[in-house]
Amino acid sequence: MSVPQVALARPPRQSGRVRHVGAWLGAGWLVVVVLLSLTVQWWSSWGVNQQDITDVLKGPSAAHWLGTDDLGRDVLTRLFASGATTIGTALLAVAVAFAIGVPVALIAAEREGWSEKGLSRVAEILLSLPSTVVLLAVVGVFGTRLAIVMTVLGVLLSAAVYRVMLGSARSAHRELYVDAARVDGLTVWRVNLRHIVPTLLPTIAVQASLLFAVSLLIESGLAFLGFGPSPPAPSWGAMIALASTNIYGDPWLMVPTGLVLALTVMSANAIGDGLGRRARQGAQALPAASEAVARSTAASSDARDEGLARDGEDSILWASDLVVSVEGGPDLVTGVSLALPPGRVLGLVGESGCGKTMTALALLGLCPPGVRVTSGSVGVAGQAMDSLSEKGRRQVLGRVISYVSQEPTVALDPMFSVGYQLTQPIRRMRGVSRSEARVIAADLLARVGIVDPRLVLKRYPHQLSGGMAQRVAIALALSGSPQILVADEPTTALDVTVQAELLSLFRSLVADTALAIMLVTHDLGVVADVCDDVAVMYAGQVVERGTVREVLDRPRHPYTQALLSADPHVANADGPPTRLPTIAGQVPPPEAWTPHCRFAPRCEHARAACAVPVALVRQGDVLVRCVRSAELDEARHPVGAHVNDGGARGDH
Ligand code: SF4
């Protein structure tokens, strides 16, 4: 027999009220058993091992409510006398299983890669071991010392716990509020304790109750086979074994001994069922995990932007020749160089799948599992991020650079109030008392436009509207007084009015605090409204970069021109709404990227001359990745054509 794998199986159809009552009855039965067991010497007139050989194997009577065994001992007294030991040793196995399984699962979920693979292989080995044989071997070495035997059982069960917890922990790691906590600079273990473990608690409760039932049966099974407490000490398994030897002559003895074990196992299962229902209800109440973080956008190829590292000298955030790749797979972002000076807003714009979000996550050091920065460098406030230790990186995250995600309700931990979620990072990053942190939190909420901060501090994320939740998320991002804010589509999920209010908020934050903002968006209208600079991304590359005025007034790259033509805010800005042109085709997947111009299959200006690797080169005041940009610009602006480097001179 191998260690049983306990999982959250779908329960039989049963009303919630019945399960609720069953769980309470089960818990009540366990409490009664333990209390009666611990007080047996006070309520029973019989000694646990007191014999009366004139009154053996008798049924229920006034003197012996549950009868007597083969030595005339009172069955009721012996059953309850052994209850605490039986339940206690079963709990010991469960405690050991979770003490090992949960931390190891957290480590594996955090590190992944070879650590996770190695730990999972060890778990598989433990799961494949025949637990009964192992336990009998332990009994052979250590004797019937239940504490040791059940500890070993706990070690075996920890593999099953690990498997279940690993899946739950991985899911929790994909939550945006976990990323937000990392950006706040929390250590790995604080993130786990504060955000991952609470999400595991319902699963832990359910699994613990079910594993308790399993341990109880295994412990009783060992006692049944004679490997339990040494006689004359009572145990449920030994009493069932005695009843089974007298099953034909005196079948009554099997009734109380079997019933007490069956009731206890059923109680554990009822508790597990009740807790499972609560866990499922909780899971349904929680917002679905955002796919934004795990989204693997565009992919691969070669051409590296060149000569832009010098932009980093006066920039508070810069990326130089950044390459982000799937481990063992294609590149998702290639050769991206960006620069964000203090007090400016840089828009990162493009269609879905162009690598905008992946670039932003790479700047924050928050690449999804299986994705990593394979080349290039990122600098924040004069420090190269790859040169920082883990502790140094935590000092930067939250205090220097912070993050606002697309989905505010999933960026906030649903288990904690707004007040708790705001005051914790404020206390940690600003070193203030709880009361001071609450005042600062209220000020932050007021600053982001919340009318009644004290009321909102008491609320939970699910009690907030989308706009209010996004304001709270922005306040959370500002809790460490960062100099840089990376905002990933922060207004996409909001209605137009709230969107306008938040864009106004961003403008005022930049004006009042010299905050530098990197705004990831697909909306050129948002770029035109709030950004100073813009980088247009296509298929993992920056294809055009410059000031908003230059790029939007005089787009050089055919993709930028197509985006502008298809944008309702920009195209219809000066007149009545008209039918908008669309960009034919779609962004190619990373596997289809070539060393040549990646926009060529969709570009109406593509020629044979485009079938060459295309670098990002300076043209006027912008950088463009198009071999025909000068020629096309000349045709579009024949009179006003100014400095034109012909797309042949790189910005080296
Ligand atoms: S290089 Fe050629 S195909 Fe590519 S965007 Fe420019 S004109 Fe179009």
Side-chain angles (χ1 to χ4, degrees):
M1 182 179 74
S2 60
V3 175
Q5 293 220 40
V6 182
L8 282 171
R10 182 183 290 276
R13 190 175 290 276
Q14 196 178 16
S15 82
R17 185 174 294 277
V18 170
R19 281 196 291 265
H20 191 70
V21 172
W24 279 110
L25 287 176
W29 168 255
L30 292 181
V31 170
V32 166
V33 170
V34 172
L35 286 179
L36 290 179
S37 176
L38 296 176
T39 59
V40 68
Q41 66 275 24
W42 294 320
W43 57 263
S44 175
S45 54
W46 301 97
V48 174
N49 297 316
Q50 184 179 347
Q51 301 179 9
D52 181 1
I53 57 174
T54 63
D55 197 15
V56 299
L57 293 175
K58 291 289 172 60
S61 65
H64 302 284
W65 292 0
L66 296 181
T68 58
D69 65 8
D70 60 339
L71 295 176
R73 295 172 295 194
D74 185 61
V75 171
L76 178 66
T77 304
R78 288 177 66 76
L79 272 178
F80 282 101
S82 57
T85 306
T86 306
I87 291 174
T89 50
L91 286 176
L92 173 64
V94 174
V96 171
F98 280 89
I100 297 172
V102 174
V104 175
L106 291 175
I107 292 170
E110 186 70 41
R111 301 200 174 164
E112 298 203 330
W114 286 107
S115 304
E116 186 269 329
K117 285 188 176 75
L119 292 169
S120 294
R121 294 300 87 77
V122 172
E124 286 164 11
I125 292 170
L126 283 176
L127 285 168
S128 66
L129 292 176
S131 57
T132 304
V133 174
V134 173
L135 293 177
L136 290 176
V138 172
V139 169
V141 175
F142 296 101
T144 55
R145 279 183 277 183
L146 272 182
I148 295 175
V149 176
M150 298 309 279
T151 299
V152 173
L153 176 62
V155 173
L156 296 174
L157 291 174
S158 67
V161 173
Y162 165 82
R163 291 287 291 270
V164 175
M165 292 302 149
L166 179 59
S168 300
R170 275 178 173 160
S171 299
H173 271 283
R174 288 195 283 271
E175 298 286 355
L176 282 177
Y177 57 78
V178 174
D179 282 335
R182 289 199 186 99
V183 174
D184 280 347
L186 283 186
T187 62
V188 169
W189 282 108
R190 291 186 83 172
V191 168
N192 275 307
L193 284 176
R194 187 168 296 170
H195 295 285
I196 306 292
V197 171
T199 65
L200 301 183
L201 287 178
T203 309
I204 289 175
V206 174
Q207 295 295 308
S209 58
L210 299 180
L211 283 180
F212 169 71
V214 170
S215 303
L216 204 63
L217 289 171
I218 291 178
E219 195 263 358
S220 298
L222 288 172
F224 182 91
L225 295 172
F227 301 116
S230 302
S235 71
W236 291 355
M239 293 178 76
I240 293 172
L242 176 64
S244 67
T245 61
N246 295 284
I247 189 72
Y248 295 113
D250 299 283
W252 165 254
L253 190 55
M254 182 60 82
V255 175
T257 54
L259 196 61
V260 75
L261 178 61
L263 278 176
T264 308
V265 171
M266 287 168 59
S267 296
N269 286 331
I271 293 170
D273 198 19
L275 291 173
R277 178 170 167 270
R278 284 183 65 87
R280 283 189 291 278
Q281 285 174 338
Q284 286 163 6
L286 299 183
S290 168
E291 295 176 359
V293 172
R295 193 169 57 208
S296 290
T297 51
S300 111
S301 202
D302 63 330
R304 305 287 191 257
D305 303 343
E306 296 174 358
L308 297 177
R310 68 186 182 206
D311 286 347
E313 291 170 6
D314 61 350
S315 300
I316 195 163
L317 173 66
W318 53 263
S320 176
D321 210 11
L322 192 68
V323 180
V324 182
S325 314
V326 177
E327 283 177 21
D331 294 340
L332 304 178
V333 169
T334 54
V336 167
S337 296
L338 298 167
L340 176 60
R344 287 183 77 83
V345 183
L346 169 65
L348 206 55
V349 69
E351 295 169 278
S352 296
C354 284
K356 310 183 300 292
T357 295
M358 199 55 63
T359 301
L361 293 176
L363 292 176
L364 290 156
L366 289 177
C367 289
V371 176
R372 62 191 182 90
V373 174
T374 48
S375 178
S377 55
V378 173
V380 175
Q383 304 179 79
M385 289 293 273
D386 52 6
S387 68
L388 293 177
S389 63
E390 182 59 29
K391 186 178 177 185
R393 212 172 67 86
R394 284 202 304 274
Q395 290 296 319
V396 169
L397 293 174
R399 292 178 174 87
V400 180
I401 184 169
S402 199
Y403 177 59
V404 175
S405 72
Q406 181 176 356
E407 293 287 345
T409 49
V410 295
L412 300 171
D413 193 330
M415 303 190 71
F416 299 104
S417 68
V418 169
Y420 180 84
Q421 296 192 57
L422 271 174
T423 53
Q424 288 302 311
I426 290 171
R427 289 184 66 191
R428 192 183 65 259
M429 289 192 274
R430 303 195 187 191
V432 297
S433 68
R434 189 187 301 271
S435 57
E436 287 171 314
R438 208 158 175 87
V439 172
I440 294 171
D443 286 346
L444 277 175
L445 289 180
R447 209 162 104 200
V448 298
I450 298 246
V451 177
D452 191 348
R454 306 230 165 251
L455 178 66
V456 172
L457 282 173
K458 296 175 188 164
R459 291 193 170 161
Y460 285 80
H462 70 274
Q463 297 174 302
L464 306 176
S465 66
M468 196 178 284
Q470 190 61 289
R471 288 176 195 275
V472 171
I474 294 170
L476 186 61
L478 298 176
S479 58
S481 301
Q483 301 164 52
I484 311 159
L485 186 66
V486 176
D488 185 3
E489 306 262 15
T491 59
T492 300
L494 307 174
D495 62 53
V496 178
T497 309
V498 180
Q499 183 176 351
E501 290 173 1
L502 282 177
L503 293 179
S504 171
L505 169 64
F506 283 139
R507 279 193 295 270
S508 63
L509 286 173
V510 172
D512 297 345
T513 65
L515 185 70
I517 298 179
M518 173 178 278
L519 189 63
V520 176
T521 180
H522 63 273
D523 189 341
L524 279 173
V526 170
V527 171
D529 197 8
V530 78
C531 295
D532 302 299
D533 305 298
V534 60
V536 181
M537 288 194 72
Y538 184 79
Q541 294 176 319
V542 172
V543 295
E544 185 161 4
R545 192 185 130 198
T547 63
V548 167
R549 179 180 293 273
E550 279 288 337
V551 172
L552 298 197
D553 284 357
R554 189 169 179 166
R556 265 79 167 192
H557 196 282
Y559 181 58
T560 313
Q561 292 164 9
L563 280 181
L564 277 167
S565 302
D567 190 287
H569 303 98
V570 180
N572 296 326
D574 300 325
T578 56
R579 188 180 180 85
L580 296 173
T582 56
I583 310 175
Q586 52 192 347
V587 182
E591 297 77 14
W593 292 353
T594 70
H596 304 153
C597 174
R598 295 174 188 169
F599 188 59
R602 304 173 73 187
C603 181
E604 59 180 312
H605 305 294
R607 300 286 183 276
C610 302
V612 294
V614 188
L616 193 69
V617 297
R618 182 168 294 281
Q619 184 180 336
D621 291 331
V622 300
L623 297 169
V624 190
R625 189 188 295 275
C626 172
V627 292
R628 298 192 65 209
S629 59
E631 169 195 343
L632 295 171
D633 187 56
E634 193 81 44
R636 283 165 61 94
H637 305 279
V639 178
H642 54 279
V643 181
N644 189 340
D645 296 331
R649 180 169 60 80
D651 181 40
H652 297 278

